[in-house]
Amino acid sequence: MIYDPRRMTSNRYDELPYADYCFPRTHPEHLFAVSALCGRAAPPFARCRVLELGCARGANLLPMALDLPGSEFVGVDLSEVQVAEARDRASALGLTNVSFRAESIAALSDDAPFDYVICHGVYSWVPPAVRDAILAACRGRMRPDGVAYVSFNALPGWNALRTIRDFLREHAPPGPAQERVLRARRALAALDGSLQADPSPWSAWLRAELRELGGADDAYLFHEHLAAVNDAVYLRDFAAHAAAHGLAQLADADLRVAAPALRPGAGDPLALAQSVDFAHNRRFRAALLVHGETAAGPADPAALARLHLATRAGVPDVGAAALTDDRPVTFACDGRPVVLRDPWMKCALHALASEDRRPVSYAAMAAAAAARLGLDRRAALGAAAAHAPSMLDLLLDGALSLHAGAARYAEAAGLRPLASPIARAQATGSDEVTTLRHTRIALPDEARAVLRLSDGTRDRAALLAALPRDARPEAERAGDCEQALDWLASNALLVG
C-alpha cells in the first residue's frame, strides 16, 4: 500500500482527534536546563525559535508562546482542520509569536534554523520514511547548539502490550473510528470476564492493563491500539537511527528515567540505559537529541549552581531545632517519604518546600540553609559546593524538579486578579486546564467561576458581584472567593 499522509490524517486524526494536552518536558526551559545539567550550553530559552512537528490544535505550543513572548514558535501538522483550529486559538489569544502550518514533515517550508525541535507522540506512529524525515528535520533545521525532543513507544515494555493491541485490532476491524472504539471496548470487557475464571500471574497483569485501558479516553484507545502503525523500538535501535542522521542522545527528558545513565561513574550510558529498560520493562521514552556522535555522559553536580530547583514536598511539622541537628526529618513528597539527617540538606529542602513549588536558585536555597545554620560566608560557600552531589541525587530520585529561572507567574492574587487566558478559555468546556507551569490540573468547581471572571478588570468587590449569589452571608462568600484565588495562585494560574 502506498503511504498517503494526508489521507491517513483525514481518516484518523480528524475523525477522532486527541484530547488537548501540554507536555511539560517539551518546554524549552526544561530542555535548556537538562542540557546545562549535562554540562552543555543550549540557546537561551527566553529568546529562542521552537519548531513542533505534529502540533495538532496547538495545545502544547500555545501555552509556551504565552509564557515566552520573546520567543518564536512554529507548529507543523498534516491536518488542515487541526491547524486551522490552532490558528483560530492563537488569534483569539492575541498571540503574534506563534504560527501554524499544514504541511508535511518531509517538506518543511521554514528554512530558518531553530533552537529547539519538539516531536511528541509521532515517531512510533508513522511509517519508516516519516521517522527518517523527523530525524532529518532535527538534523537539518536545528542550530549547532540546539536540542531536539523525540518521544517513542519503547521495548521491551511494548512486547506484552502488543498482545492487547493485536487482540483489539482483531476484534475492531477497519471502519468508522467511533464504531471501532465501541467494538474494542466490548472486546476489552469480554476478555476481562474470561480472565476472571482463570487466575494466574499473567491474567492478573493483563487485567490490570485492561482496567487502565478501560479508563482511557476514546482517542487514546483508537490511536494507540487500533491505528495501522504503532512501532515500539529499543533505545539502542533508536539511538542508532539518530546516529545515522548525525544526532546523539543527550539524556531522557524525564530525569528519573535518565538517572542511571546520568549518575557519576555510570560507564557506558547507552548500554546502561538499555539494561535498565529491560529491568523496568520500559514502555515509553522521550529522548533529547543533539548534534554529534556521542553526547550522553554523567550530570555535573556543579552545574546546579547555575540553575533553579523546586519541590513538591510539603513543609514538615517539626521544630526549628530538628532541622539543625542530626535527627532524621521526613518530608512527604508525592506520597513517598524523603528522610534526611544532614542539617544542611534538611534546611535546603525546607527552604524549597516553603516556596510552594516555585523555583528557587541554587544560590538562594543555599543561602537560606546557611542562614538557618548560622554559617559564615566561607563556610556557606563550601557547604553549597560540598552538598551539590547530594542535591543531584534528590533531583534524579524525583524529589526535586529542575528549572532554568524563576517563576513567571503570580505568587498571590493582585488587586485585580488576572488568570491565564488559556486556562480561562479551557475552563468553559474542560475539567482540566493548563497551568503556567506547563502542566495540566483538574479544576475544582469552586475555583472555576473565579478563574473565568479573573480577567484583570475586576477587583474583589466586582468579582463577588459577578459570582452567582446564594443564601450565604457576604463575608462567607468573600472568604470562599479569596480561598479560590489562593488556590489559583498556588497552582500557577494567575499571571504575574
Side-chain angles (χ1 to χ4, degrees):
M1 182 180 73
I2 298 176
Y3 169 65
D4 182 344
R6 294 197 176 275
R7 181 174 179 273
M8 175 177 132
T9 297
S10 174
N11 286 353
R12 293 200 302 158
Y13 292 101
D14 291 343
E15 187 177 6
L16 187 55
Y18 271 114
D20 283 338
Y21 291 110
C22 64
F23 306 103
R25 297 184 186 99
T26 67
H27 196 287
E29 180 186 1
H30 181 71
L31 307 187
F32 174 95
V34 175
S35 187
L37 183 68
C38 295
R40 182 183 176 279
F45 70 92
R47 299 190 66 85
C48 64
R49 294 194 82 228
V50 179
L51 170 66
E52 183 172 29
L53 306 174
C55 64
R57 295 175 291 183
N60 191 45
L61 215 55
L62 289 169
M64 294 183 193
L66 178 70
D67 181 35
L68 301 175
S71 294
E72 180 186 358
F73 299 84
V74 176
V76 171
D77 201 283
L78 280 170
S79 171
E80 295 178 355
V81 171
Q82 296 192 45
V83 164
E85 185 170 348
R87 288 170 176 163
D88 289 344
R89 291 177 174 183
S91 177
L93 291 165
L95 294 173
T96 59
N97 62 332
V98 60
S99 61
F100 297 96
R101 302 169 187 179
E103 57 190 36
S104 168
I105 294 172
L108 299 175
S109 60
D110 193 327
D111 291 329
F114 291 90
D115 300 300
Y116 298 98
V117 179
I118 301 165
C119 189
H120 180 85
V122 181
Y123 183 91
S124 285
W125 297 264
V126 293
V130 184
R131 288 176 223 149
D132 279 329
I134 290 169
L135 297 181
C138 293
R139 170 66 177 178
R141 304 301 173 118
M142 189 168 69
R143 292 186 189 275
D145 57 349
V147 181
Y149 168 110
V150 181
S151 68
F152 55 93
N153 278 344
L155 296 172
W158 261 88
N159 280 325
L161 293 174
R162 179 71 62 181
T163 299
I164 300 175
R165 173 175 156 82
D166 291 346
F167 169 81
L168 292 178
R169 285 176 56 80
E170 180 76 18
H171 289 81
Q178 288 292 356
E179 180 180 319
R180 295 188 72 194
V181 169
L182 180 60
R183 287 177 178 269
R185 293 200 181 279
R186 288 172 178 167
L188 286 173
L191 178 58
D192 184 64
S194 68
L195 291 170
Q196 292 185 50
D198 185 24
S200 68
W202 164 250
S203 64
W205 176 87
L206 188 54
R207 291 194 69 200
E209 291 293 332
L210 296 183
R211 285 193 297 272
E212 184 173 340
L213 192 53
D217 60 45
D218 287 351
Y220 176 86
L221 178 61
F222 179 68
H223 296 298
E224 194 80 350
H225 287 276
L226 300 178
V229 179
N230 184 347
D231 293 331
V233 296
Y234 283 105
L235 173 62
R236 61 173 182 247
D237 295 331
F238 174 83
H241 190 197
H245 287 271
L247 300 166
Q249 173 165 293
L250 179 67
D252 196 276
D254 185 339
L255 289 178
R256 291 171 298 180
V257 173
L262 291 182
R263 295 188 190 278
D268 182 340
L270 181 60
L272 176 60
Q274 183 61 81
S275 295
V276 173
D277 280 5
F278 280 112
H280 290 272
N281 201 34
R282 188 89 61 208
R283 62 177 67 178
F284 181 82
R285 270 193 170 270
L288 300 187
L289 301 176
V290 296
H291 291 287
E293 296 180 359
T294 57
D300 180 10
L304 292 177
R306 301 183 295 275
L307 296 166
H308 286 56
L309 298 170
T311 185
R312 296 179 61 86
V315 176
D317 185 16
V318 298
L323 297 174
T324 58
D325 61 26
D326 60 357
R327 284 177 288 177
V329 171
T330 300
F331 294 78
C333 185
D334 290 331
R336 66 186 185 91
V338 178
V339 182
L340 299 175
R341 284 184 175 273
D342 181 90
W344 192 95
M345 293 293 294
K346 289 186 291 184
C347 292
L349 187 54
H350 187 277
L352 295 178
S354 300
E355 292 296 322
D356 190 22
R357 295 169 288 168
R358 294 174 66 84
V360 178
S361 72
Y362 191 87
M365 175 203 70
R372 185 178 286 273
L373 292 169
L375 303 180
D376 61 28
R377 184 175 182 276
R378 182 173 181 179
L381 292 173
H387 286 89
S390 296
M391 294 302 295
L392 177 61
D393 285 338
L394 285 184
L395 173 65
L396 297 180
D397 288 340
L400 307 177
S401 58
L402 187 67
H403 304 268
R408 296 178 295 280
Y409 49 84
E411 185 174 0
L415 294 176
R416 288 179 170 80
L418 175 60
S420 160
I422 289 178
R424 295 205 312 271
Q426 292 170 334
T428 62
S430 173
D431 292 332
E432 292 189 340
V433 296
T434 301
T435 75
L436 294 168
R437 295 188 182 106
H438 207 62
T439 59
R440 295 279 288 183
I441 191 170
L443 190 64
D445 290 339
E446 57 270 21
R448 183 183 303 275
V450 176
L451 172 68
R452 293 177 62 184
L453 291 169
S454 297
D455 59 3
T457 66
R458 297 178 174 90
D459 60 14
R460 299 300 196 279
L463 278 175
L464 275 177
L467 288 169
R469 292 190 175 274
D470 52 36
R472 292 176 300 156
E474 284 298 290
E476 184 177 340
R477 292 182 65 241
D480 288 346
C481 177
E482 202 63 36
Q483 285 185 1
L485 288 171
D486 288 344
W487 186 91
L488 295 176
S490 177
N491 288 284
L493 287 165
L494 297 182
V495 178

